[in-house]
Amino acid sequence: MKINAEVFEYASKLAKLKFSQADAAKEMENLKDIAVFVEGLKEIPDTLPEQTERREPGAKLREDVSGVPFERETLMENSSDNDGELFIVPQTI
Amino acid sequence: MFDITAVKIGEKIKKGELSAVDVTVATIDRINALSGHYNEFITLDVQGAVAQAERVQKGIERGEFLSALAGVPFVVKDNICVKGMKMTCASKMLENFVSPYDATVITRLRKAGAIILGKTNMDEFAMGSTGENSYFGATLNPYDERRVAGGSSSGSAVAAALREGFYSLGTDTGGSIRQPCAYCGVTGIKTTYGVVSRYGLVAHASSLEQIGPMAVDAETCAAVLDLICGKDKFDSTTVDYNVEYLNSISNDIKGLKIGVLSESFSDKTDKTLGDNVLKVCDTLKYFGAQAEMFSMPITQYTLPAYYVISSAEASSNLARYDGVRYGLRSNFCNNIEELYVNSRSEGFGDEVKRRILLGTLVLSAGYYDDYYKLALRARETVKKAFEKAFEKYDVILSPTTPKVAPKINSIIKPIDMYFGDAYTVAVNLAGLPAVSFPCGFSDGLPTGAQLIGPAFSDAKLLNIVHQYQQITDYHKKTPECKKEGQV
Amino acid sequence: MKWETVIGLEVHVELSTETKMFCSCPAIFGAEPNTLCCPVCMGMPGALPTINAKAVEYAAMAGLALNCAVSPYSRFDRKNYFYPDLPKAYQISQLYHPLCTNGFIEIDVNGNKKKIRIKEIHMEEDAGKLFHSDSGETKIDFNRCGIPLIEIVSEADLSDEEEVTAYLEKLKLTLEYLGVSTCRMQEGALRADINLSVKKKDETELGVRTEMKNMNSFREIRRAVKSESERQISVLENGGVIVQETRRWDEEKGVSVSMRNKENVHDYRYFPEPDLPPIVLESEWIDLVKNKIPALAHERVLKYVELFGVSHADAKIITSQRALADFFENVCTRCENVKMASNLIVTEVVRLLKDDGIQASDMKLSAEKFAQIINLADRGDINVGTAKKIIAVAFSQNIDVPDYIKSNSLEQINDELVILPVAKDVVESNPKSLSDYMSGKKKAYGFLVGQIMEQFGFKANPTKVNECLMKILDEKSGGN
């Protein structure tokens, strides 16, 4: 996994994170170390097919019976901006 | 009172020798005397705890609360939801977040009459192995405050060591219960994956983590498991597995076959620590167990697999912290993009951001096959390796950590911190149960041994440790406290 | 024409279960904002999803009715992206192992039969609803967040707006008859993403495609397909290139508009949902679901023809929408004159629906009211012409039928004593028509009937009018 400025910026953009130039440089170095460390994955011998191809026991499905929803007030308690009915964010395209 | 453990306290309360209120008030006094010197608490709910105790006491007198731990106060790691209480996950992102619901484990404990005292400090979003990655400052080791308490369940380990509460709840994604237990000289268990519900546990790595008890001894851990384990309709990854833990720890362990993991006794391991762990075999031989060294080479490769899987899942699990419905919202946002980027960049600490970046990368187009998919396969290999080992041995023994608690700020590179998890992450990858328990000291600092068992051998592991703790007293030692007030 | 259009559709359909896909919140439309939510569908810390059994059943049923294979092993995956209507910042969907695969829908466009292949049907959850205000804010309602969706993905087998319409109509019809969705497009229960590209007829390689998302009106879908096809051809003919992007359909202007979103190509970082075990379905379970499939449209056609004596053509029209068929069956339980009922549905109701551009499922006129009108006409209280008028009024207004008849004096006039003099009057005032009739011009008769009816405001009993007119004409012919 090559870590360069382009890759770093791509990941930051996807993850909605930003860094100051100094921090970005520092984190890139850290990520480079981690990337080398992660390459160790390729050294694992005799890898088997991935877990998801195995037939594990299936999910127990939930019965389609209504529960009681939470109070709107409770759900909005922790929000930064709302008008009592709807959550508010700045303009979205 | 604080030399007595949870189960006996519970008995005394039932018999009327102690009242739940007295026990709770005494515990609160003890906590106040130690004044959170080790920075182990984030929230203390004194009023609430006393109110709970009063209610439970009345209930006990009416014969309503029958569980072994009714009336016994405990503390909760701050990434487990307690309704109406602040839950910060030791992050600026959730600094003022109040949980609107109880985690299933909390619901069950409340129902059993347990008393919640407050929330303990931790590494931010459970990412870290020292307890230094907290927005609220590092948690100190009660045996030596220049050293770390371990992570990520740092505060819970310290509270357990100081008897601030008769047990703590912690969480373990890659060793986060076991490692701080080892550093602080207490006992803790990460159960088989699916045995304890994760509903209400702030997700870090969904397929790896479990909530578990941390306490003075295996008996207390067993009593807690009796209350929190079992299938939960709110968590589809829980399994239908029911066992009476407290009733299972006094069995005979004669003929137990212990495999001692040779890779964990390398030159990377402290000598005294290693010797202490090997002495566990001698002690267990007293009960009729046999031990021999064996090699499981796979353990050397498990760290990269663990970090790829856990950071991948974390990058997705932490994406919901965007300032829209709750959590920190930056003051500088003119549009939705700025809201996202600024809130997240301001709200998350460095290690969290690092893991999110790594996780984002390993899942992205072009990298997925080479890293994430490969890690999933590596995981299967690890599982198979353990299965093979358990054909020959009943349990596997290793040191919980390669070294004793390091000094604060001594680990500079993140990568060096990751190496501290070497002996614990394999367990999470395989979804197996493992216990860490104190097995001696090295220069005054606790050393911890780890026992790993096959899936659903949780009760058996606690059984072994309980027997060990009948004839050793490492678990009874307490740190000499550094603040006013006696221990 | 050297160009041909290649269209694939991704249709999102909301399933009509009681609860949401991954939590037990009620799945209701039209409630107060943010009152049907919980920590799970709001993406609060620590919340976990649980799979709705009914949603799986409905999805499998849809797959079976659309000729798909239902996988005994399927799984959920996370689709990661940031948007304010997505609380977890990922949607739980199915990418790697969808529930159903390899189906088809047979369409008939002007006698040409064509098989449109369905690549897959997968389950996922709906997102919340955004409201953009003029003041630069966006407001969010999470009631819809988590409602079960199936996404039906077709192969790029469609060629024009006629085929697209036929495909969507048949799809909608099937799903309505299954009862797995209301398919109410106005409520957003059925939305289509149109993927369209053009290529020269002799080329094998497909052109670059554009996407228009969340279209929920048949009329706009037709316009959009036609317009976008023409636009792409025009661009290419002028030497330009088509950009692969999502475009917004502008109803007013009748064109698709580029959304200028630099991030049109998303990296969704799909990976298996770790909070949910796979869905493992026994073949017995799949068979049970198959047996639950109710009578689809063509079966009802047979039923109406054989049981109710409705003509085949009329039966096809009535069954063209499940809500209309249900309406018809309901009406039949409330009135005797099934023939009149079916007739008026086929002529009046269908016309009214078309004029308003709505689906029968959105119709406000109830079966009870309609049956009431039929019964009154059958009894002779009003004539059929009046019945038609009242149906039209009741279609858009909530009237009390007897009151309306009374206050507008619409009662049928049946009394011969009243009709006869008027008939005589009309005949005597129209000597030309009389002589035309006498000389065998049948048209004159119709004219005279019309004149008499007009005198009575079209409320007279047509049979009685005929009888009276014949009497007068006989007199006149016999007399002179």
Side-chain angles (χ1 to χ4, degrees):
Chain A
M1 194 180 342
K2 212 168 70 140
I3 309 285
N4 55 30
E6 201 187 312
V7 168
F8 187 85
E9 205 189 303
Y10 180 68
S12 308
K13 228 172 155 205
L14 273 182
K16 301 287 182 214
L17 292 172
K18 74 173 183 198
F19 297 87
S20 68
Q21 223 168 22
D23 285 342
K26 191 175 72 151
E27 286 314 323
M28 247 198 288
E29 285 310 306
N30 281 328
L31 266 179
K32 280 187 188 148
D33 284 343
I34 297 174
V36 168
F37 160 77
V38 159
E39 290 298 319
L41 262 181
K42 302 191 172 146
E43 291 170 40
I44 300 189
D46 299 331
T47 47
L48 301 167
E50 74 183 59
Q51 172 189 23
T52 47
E53 320 243 356
R54 276 212 310 209
R55 285 347 184 217
E56 356 161 344
K60 183 119 194 280
L61 305 179
R62 168 179 53 88
E63 221 186 300
D64 188 30
V65 173
S66 287
V68 181
F70 272 57
E71 291 290 327
R72 177 163 64 194
E73 221 180 277
T74 311
L75 293 171
M76 288 193 152
E77 223 170 43
N78 290 296
S79 84
S80 301
D81 196 2
N82 67 71
D83 64 6
E85 283 192 351
L86 299 157
F87 292 85
I88 303 177
V89 292
Q91 185 94 105
T92 308
I93 307 149
Chain B
M1 191 191 290
F2 297 97
D3 289 332
I4 310 174
T5 56
V7 173
K8 305 236 172 17
I9 296 279
E11 277 169 15
K12 286 186 187 288
I13 293 176
K14 284 264 181 22
K15 286 195 196 128
E17 288 167 28
L18 287 172
S19 89
V21 181
D22 288 342
V23 174
T24 301
V25 170
T27 311
I28 291 169
D29 286 343
R30 181 185 180 82
I31 294 172
N32 285 330
L34 298 167
S35 292
H37 177 79
Y38 303 94
N39 204 18
E40 69 271 30
F41 285 104
I42 293 178
T43 303
L44 265 174
D45 181 22
V46 173
Q47 269 187 314
V50 173
Q52 284 173 65
E54 283 168 356
R55 193 181 49 85
V56 170
Q57 181 60 33
K58 289 203 184 90
I60 291 174
E61 284 160 15
R62 289 196 297 265
E64 280 166 15
F65 291 106
L66 302 170
S67 87
L69 298 179
V72 180
F74 71 107
V75 299
V76 183
K77 185 175 178 183
D78 208 12
N79 62 351
I80 297 172
C81 290
V82 173
K83 184 173 175 180
M85 218 182 262
K86 243 184 357 164
M87 181 174 70
T88 68
C89 298
S91 178
K92 188 176 181 196
M93 181 62 85
L94 293 179
E95 194 178 359
N96 298 306
F97 180 81
V98 174
S99 178
Y101 71 103
D102 274 337
T104 297
V105 299
I106 299 295
T107 304
R108 290 178 179 180
L109 285 166
R110 279 199 212 262
K111 205 164 167 209
I115 317 282
I116 305 166
L117 291 168
K119 311 302 276 309
T120 55
N121 203 356
M122 50 185 278
D123 279 307
E124 189 180 355
F125 283 107
M127 295 178 189
S129 315
T130 59
E132 294 171 295
N133 290 330
S134 166
Y135 177 63
F136 301 103
T139 305
L140 312 180
N141 192 310
Y143 282 89
D144 179 348
E145 63 189 58
R146 297 163 303 169
R147 294 176 184 265
V148 302
S152 59
S153 310
S154 31
S156 282
V158 171
L162 294 175
R163 285 41 170 175
E164 293 175 317
F166 290 87
Y167 57 93
S168 312
L169 286 185
T171 69
D172 191 313
T173 312
S176 294
I177 282 179
R178 292 162 284 152
Q179 189 247 55
C181 280
Y183 287 170
C184 295
V186 291
T187 306
I189 178 168
K190 179 205 92 69
T191 53
T192 307
Y193 185 79
V195 164
V196 180
S197 168
R198 287 179 303 113
Y199 184 72
L201 160 57
V202 177
H204 162 181
S206 320
S207 70
L208 299 171
E209 56 206 10
Q210 287 285 279
I211 296 175
M214 299 161 71
V216 166
D217 58 16
E219 185 190 52
T220 311
C221 291
V224 176
L225 285 187
D226 274 332
L227 300 178
I228 63 174
C229 291
K231 190 148 180 72
D232 179 18
K233 65 178 184 186
F234 290 104
D235 176 356
S236 303
T237 61
T238 52
V239 289
D240 220 335
Y241 176 73
N242 295 301
V243 135
E244 284 178 18
Y245 293 91
L246 207 48
N247 282 342
S248 310
I249 57 173
S250 304
N251 295 332
D252 194 348
I253 57 169
K254 191 168 174 182
L256 182 75
K257 288 187 292 221
I258 306 170
V260 182
L261 187 62
S262 62
E263 278 81 7
S264 61
F265 290 90
S266 66
D267 52 2
K268 291 203 183 86
T269 310
D270 270 356
K271 177 98 189 13
T272 315
L273 196 159
D275 289 342
N276 286 353
V277 175
L278 289 171
K279 285 203 193 102
V280 172
C281 296
D282 297 331
T283 312
L284 290 176
K285 277 183 189 143
Y286 169 82
F287 290 103
Q290 313 153 19
E292 76 180 26
M293 275 280 183
F294 84 109
S295 168
M296 204 165 82
I298 203 68
T299 48
Q300 293 163 268
Y301 309 107
T302 54
L303 274 173
Y306 169 78
Y307 274 99
V308 166
I309 294 174
S310 68
S311 65
E313 293 181 6
S315 71
S316 178
N317 285 327
L318 267 66
R320 65 188 61 194
Y321 303 106
D322 54 16
V324 171
R325 294 139 289 128
Y326 54 82
L328 182 128
R329 185 187 282 201
S330 172
N331 290 323
F332 308 100
C333 41
N334 296 311
N335 56 51
I336 191 74
E337 183 70 16
E338 281 180 20
L339 190 155
Y340 285 145
V341 177
N342 295 344
S343 305
R344 289 167 64 78
S345 303
E346 285 171 37
F348 289 137
D350 291 340
E351 182 61 27
V352 170
K353 285 187 203 164
R354 219 168 273 141
R355 306 260 186 127
I356 292 175
L357 280 180
L358 178 64
T360 305
L361 268 178
V362 302
L363 287 177
S364 64
Y367 292 101
Y368 183 85
D369 286 338
D370 286 341
Y371 297 96
Y372 187 73
K373 233 174 155 185
L374 207 56
L376 291 181
R377 286 174 196 227
R379 187 178 189 164
E380 284 305 289
T381 313
V382 171
K383 278 190 186 156
K384 278 275 178 305
F386 272 109
E387 277 167 35
K388 192 146 173 270
F390 288 125
E391 280 167 18
K392 210 169 169 208
Y393 305 105
D394 295 319
V395 295
I396 295 172
L397 176 74
S398 78
T400 308
T401 58
K403 300 186 190 302
V404 290
K407 291 226 171 67
I408 296 195
N409 289 328
S410 63
I411 300 178
I412 313 294
K413 284 176 145 188
I415 204 106
D416 293 330
M417 181 176 67
Y418 299 165
F419 279 119
D421 298 333
Y423 308 141
T424 51
V425 300
V427 167
N428 300 78
L429 281 174
L432 299 174
V435 187
S436 176
F437 57 101
C439 61
F441 290 85
S442 169
D443 281 331
L445 293 166
T447 59
Q450 170 179 245
L451 276 173
I452 307 168
F456 305 108
S457 65
D458 312 62
K460 187 165 191 181
L461 293 176
L462 289 174
N463 182 359
I464 298 166
V465 177
H466 180 68
Q467 300 297 59
Y468 175 83
Q469 289 175 339
Q470 299 303 298
I471 59 172
T472 57
D473 64 356
Y474 303 119
H475 61 288
K476 290 187 184 155
K477 300 268 191 275
T478 60
E480 274 161 32
C481 280
K482 306 297 192 203
K483 249 314 199 188
E484 56 267 21
Q486 291 293 81
V487 174
Chain C
M1 257 261 250
K2 58 178 184 168
W3 295 97
E4 62 185 24
T5 309
V6 176
I7 305 162
L9 292 178
E10 285 160 11
V11 181
H12 292 89
V13 179
E14 281 181 4
L15 299 178
S16 51
T17 50
E18 292 288 319
T19 63
K20 294 186 178 182
M21 184 74 225
F22 296 114
C23 66
S24 303
C25 286
I28 300 170
F29 178 83
E32 280 295 301
N34 292 305
T35 55
L36 302 173
C37 305
C38 74
V40 178
C41 54
M42 277 281 232
M44 303 219 94
L48 294 172
T50 54
I51 305 172
N52 182 336
K54 196 104 222 166
V56 177
E57 187 185 311
Y58 280 3
M61 201 185 271
L64 290 166
L66 294 171
N67 307 296
C68 297
V70 174
S71 294
Y73 173 90
S74 67
R75 224 185 43 206
F76 286 102
D77 303 299
R78 289 192 189 177
K79 179 181 182 183
N80 299 279
Y81 64 98
F82 286 88
Y83 206 61
D85 65 0
L86 198 65
K88 299 187 293 295
Y90 58 85
Q91 179 197 38
I92 301 179
S93 177
Q94 295 184 301
L95 178 75
Y96 298 109
H97 295 271
L99 184 70
C100 312
T101 52
N102 296 328
F104 61 87
I105 290 182
E106 260 172 7
I107 58 171
D108 186 330
V109 179
N110 300 325
N112 295 321
K113 287 210 208 296
K114 191 172 176 184
K115 203 174 190 179
I116 309 297
R117 296 167 300 161
I118 292 175
K119 179 162 175 252
E120 63 167 67
I121 302 180
H122 66 254
M123 293 182 285
E124 54 187 36
E125 48 175 349
D126 213 342
K129 242 187 172 158
L130 299 182
F131 302 95
H132 304 289
S133 75
D134 298 321
S135 54
E137 284 179 337
T138 298
K139 299 194 177 186
I140 321 170
D141 173 15
F142 291 103
N143 279 354
R144 196 183 67 174
C145 194
I147 295 229
L149 288 179
I150 46 171
E151 183 175 331
I152 302 160
V153 182
S154 81
E155 299 283 9
D157 289 348
L158 299 158
S159 319
D160 58 33
E161 67 271 21
E162 295 299 333
E163 291 188 0
V164 166
T165 306
Y167 173 83
L168 286 172
E169 279 178 348
K170 189 116 188 244
L171 181 64
K172 187 165 177 292
L173 193 67
T174 308
L175 296 173
E176 280 175 354
Y177 273 91
L178 289 178
V180 301
S181 172
T182 62
C183 292
R184 294 201 188 115
M185 293 172 82
Q186 284 182 332
E187 289 177 8
L190 192 151
R191 313 167 326 228
D193 293 349
I194 305 169
N195 293 296
L196 191 152
S197 67
V198 298
K199 69 174 179 65
K200 294 226 181 83
K201 276 210 162 85
D202 49 11
E203 267 175 29
T204 44
E205 211 183 293
L206 291 177
V208 175
R209 65 167 204 268
T210 60
E211 189 180 16
M212 288 178 286
K213 294 173 91 78
N214 289 324
M215 312 247 355
N216 69 338
S217 141
F218 272 99
R219 194 177 68 188
E220 296 310 316
I221 290 170
R222 290 179 70 93
R223 290 175 76 208
V225 166
K226 192 158 189 289
S227 160
E228 179 61 13
S229 173
E230 286 167 7
R231 182 192 76 88
Q232 287 195 14
I233 291 172
S234 165
V235 165
L236 291 172
E237 281 192 331
N238 287 320
V241 287
I242 304 294
V243 176
Q244 184 178 339
E245 59 175 350
T246 302
R247 295 176 70 88
R248 185 177 58 81
W249 173 249
D250 187 323
E251 256 185 59
E252 257 184 60
K253 300 202 183 102
V255 285
S256 70
V257 178
S258 172
M259 283 170 76
R260 271 174 213 289
N261 251 342
K262 343 102 217 183
E263 287 191 70
N264 266 312
V265 183
H266 292 277
D267 188 345
Y268 292 118
R269 289 156 283 135
Y270 283 96
F271 72 101
E273 170 57 81
D275 291 329
L276 295 172
I279 301 176
V280 175
L281 301 173
E282 305 289 314
S283 53
E284 288 87 18
W285 184 90
I286 298 176
D287 285 338
L288 266 170
V289 172
K290 205 167 194 167
N291 291 332
K292 274 192 190 175
I293 295 178
L296 296 180
H298 60 270
E299 291 166 47
R300 294 214 199 182
V301 166
L302 290 171
K303 175 175 161 187
Y304 298 165
V305 166
E306 282 161 31
L307 272 177
F308 294 122
V310 175
S311 77
H312 187 88
D314 281 359
K316 282 219 87 175
I317 295 174
I318 293 172
T319 57
S320 67
Q321 294 180 50
R322 180 183 174 169
L324 198 58
D326 287 346
F327 179 80
F328 171 64
E329 291 188 22
N330 193 342
V331 165
C332 286
T333 65
R334 298 168 190 277
C335 67
E336 296 245 340
N337 197 334
V338 168
K339 192 148 203 323
M340 190 189 294
S342 66
N343 217 359
L344 288 178
I345 288 176
V346 164
T347 54
E348 302 310 302
V349 176
V350 167
R351 177 179 56 82
L352 289 162
L353 287 171
K354 198 163 178 203
D355 287 348
D356 276 10
I358 60 171
Q359 299 291 301
S361 47
D362 294 321
M363 183 167 73
K364 293 198 176 57
L365 175 61
S366 70
E368 294 101 304
K369 207 160 268 181
F370 186 83
Q372 190 183 34
I373 300 169
I374 300 289
N375 286 331
L376 288 169
D378 197 29
R379 213 167 61 186
D381 289 12
I382 50 172
N383 69 21
V384 175
T386 308
K388 289 185 182 180
K389 286 200 193 101
I390 300 177
I391 289 170
V393 174
F395 194 80
S396 47
Q397 294 171 46
N398 188 9
I399 54 165
D400 177 282
V401 174
D403 279 355
Y404 185 80
I405 292 174
K406 205 159 188 195
S407 53
N408 290 287
S409 307
L410 296 172
E411 299 86 342
Q412 185 167 236
I413 296 151
N414 293 306
D415 196 349
E416 272 193 28
L417 296 174
V418 171
I419 299 175
L420 213 48
V422 173
K424 185 165 189 215
D425 219 22
V426 162
V427 169
E428 284 170 1
S429 332
N430 290 286
K432 180 148 195 313
S433 300
L434 178 58
S435 60
D436 278 348
Y437 173 74
M438 295 300 187
S439 51
K441 287 194 182 145
K442 294 275 163 69
K443 246 190 166 172
Y445 182 85
F447 175 75
L448 289 169
V449 169
Q451 288 299 297
I452 299 168
M453 291 296 274
E454 210 182 310
Q455 288 301 308
F456 286 109
F458 297 97
K459 289 177 288 187
N461 184 327
T463 315
K464 294 283 184 213
V465 165
N466 273 313
E467 283 173 12
C468 293
L469 179 58
M470 282 310 294
K471 228 185 210 157
I472 304 293
L473 290 171
D474 278 346
E475 271 175 27
K476 294 290 179 189
S477 63
N480 294 352

